[in-house]
Amino acid sequence: MTDDQANMVSPEKSKRPSGPLAPVAGSIRLFRRWWRVSVRGGVDQQAVIDKVREDSGFTPHFAFMTSMSAGIAILGLLLSSPAVVIGAMLLSPLMGPIIGAGFALAVGDSAWLKQSGKAIVLGTIISILFAGLVVTMSPLQTVTAEIAARTRPNLFDLLVALFSAMAGAYAMIRGRMGTIVGVAIATALMPPLAVVGFGLATFNWAVFGGSLLLFFTNLMTIALTATAMAWLYGFRSYLSERQSQFQIAAMAVIFIALAIPLGLSLRQIAWEANVSRSANGYIKDQFGKRASVSQIEIDFDADPIVINATVFTPKILAGAAEQSSRVLSRMLGQPIAVNVEQFKVETGEDANSAELAAAKMQEQAQQAEIQVTRLRENLALIAGVSVDDVTLDTSKRRAMVNAKPLPGASLESYYALEQRVAAGAKNWTIKLQPPAITLPDLIITDGAVSPTSIRNLDLIVWASERIGLPLGMTGATPNRAVARDALKAKNITVAEESDMVVPGAGVKLRWLAPLEGSNLLQ
């Protein structure tokens, strides 16, 4: 071999690793060649980019679907209905622009990135404001279990978003769009945004901040994972090598920045679960196998932590709460205050029966609370006042409210409203006090109240009992006597004001001020 031939061969030989690493390097080269030819080669990059870009922009259709998704989500959250919440997830209008932003980052298309970013920002604002509007108009504004579940994101939420985004990006690249439905449910972009709107509308900043962090986690994870998947599949990029390296470093920093608080949150959740498990286990062991721990509630925000337990036991243990406090405080390394409510039962079966009875009572109490809330809201609505102006006596099951004057409303209208509410509130006494508006006339015929005026007589009696003001009466003397006797039979007394003849053999009545009624007839 000549020197020139040797010089031509040596550079190629120099690139090939020698020694024990040679088989590994060869395997890597084969894998890269297979990936480049068999995997990347089967992807129509332009078709994928066109499809993703089509779903990335802000359009009237996108705005409408975003609003509807937010509305469905917040209603499902307020009703604590997982099925309704899943319906909002399936729409998932924000998934398109987020994945679009990821692909735009990968290929370095700034115009596409701005287009996707605009859709994300406007879609986020629309979702929050629409959800907040629904909450503002809703009579239900309590933090349900579905809402609370989206206020404490942790590291597992990041991993769910990561795996789901990988599946979603793969489905987009390989043309398996059916997978996107599952990804939309897993990442759940809209429910956290709806909870952000709930927190904003109710000024609950703990709910607002927790749900916003969950949404931001899902958003960034989906976008950056889509970017990584696009790189992995070799999508053409307009970025320089240095710009690509900067993007990789930025992605790593973002993931670490998200992982730290989410990891701490997961650690706190795990610690709280351990406290709950330890408390339940110790209290149960303390009372023995024949006892049953019905319920344990733990207030981790209290200082010290407060544990409330309900126990059904054959034998009442004196000092059980103090003993539990000492042991659990020593076991968990911080002060724990335990309150134990004990119910005596004879056997373990009785304990189970008592526990079921307690659960049923609790459910009934919740239903009763819901009924009281609805009753208060209905009375406030028909009376034209705020819920704070409704007086409820739950022990005697009585509800009272003073109605404001409504345009065109008569005593008949207010009476009908009271009866409507009473029909929906079984075993409740409903009293709606109408305003002191004009009273209907009483027609007297043949020495008695006319059959056509019996309804007016009942309304006058009802209004007088509700308002409590004295009545004045005008009419011919014989007619006044008949009307007075009819009202007296209903325990209503009147003051006779005038002997003026009322057309149609009628008697007119009006409300008097308390001092005017000092000459009431007995």
Side-chain angles (χ1 to χ4, degrees), residues 239-324:
L239 298 174
S240 66
E241 183 177 353
R242 179 170 184 154
Q243 289 173 324
S244 298
Q245 291 174 350
F246 176 78
Q247 277 194 355
I248 294 173
M251 288 172 58
V253 170
I254 291 173
F255 272 116
I256 293 172
L258 287 173
I260 291 175
L262 294 176
L264 294 175
S265 176
L266 178 60
R267 180 182 177 185
Q268 177 65 19
I269 292 173
W271 182 82
E272 291 178 3
N274 180 57
V275 171
S276 179
R277 185 171 56 253
S278 300
N280 185 77
Y282 177 76
I283 294 174
K284 185 173 180 61
D285 292 343
Q286 187 180 19
F287 283 88
K289 294 181 179 180
R290 298 179 62 194
S292 174
V293 179
S294 172
Q295 185 177 5
I296 285 189
E297 296 178 350
I298 305 178
D299 185 359
F300 290 100
D301 295 328
D303 186 18
I305 295 173
V306 176
I307 299 176
N308 295 309
T310 302
V311 180
F312 296 99
T313 174
K315 182 180 180 181
I316 300 296
L317 294 183
E322 293 76 8
Q323 176 68 12
S324 299

Side-chain angles (χ1 to χ4, degrees), residues 44-92:
D44 186 346
Q45 293 191 2
Q46 191 57 47
V48 173
I49 288 177
D50 291 342
K51 173 60 180 173
V52 176
R53 191 192 298 270
E54 180 183 354
D55 298 334
S56 300
F58 182 83
T59 62
H61 170 77
F62 173 82
F64 175 78
M65 294 300 289
T66 300
S67 300
M68 295 304 98
S69 180
I72 295 171
I74 192 60
L75 289 176
L77 293 165
L78 291 173
L79 295 171
S80 199
S81 171
V84 178
V85 175
I86 290 174
M89 297 176 188
L90 290 174
L91 295 180
S92 192

Side-chain angles (χ1 to χ4, degrees), residues 376-387:
R376 186 187 295 274
E377 292 167 351
N378 289 338
L379 280 174
L381 180 64
I382 66 171
V385 298
S386 69
V387 292

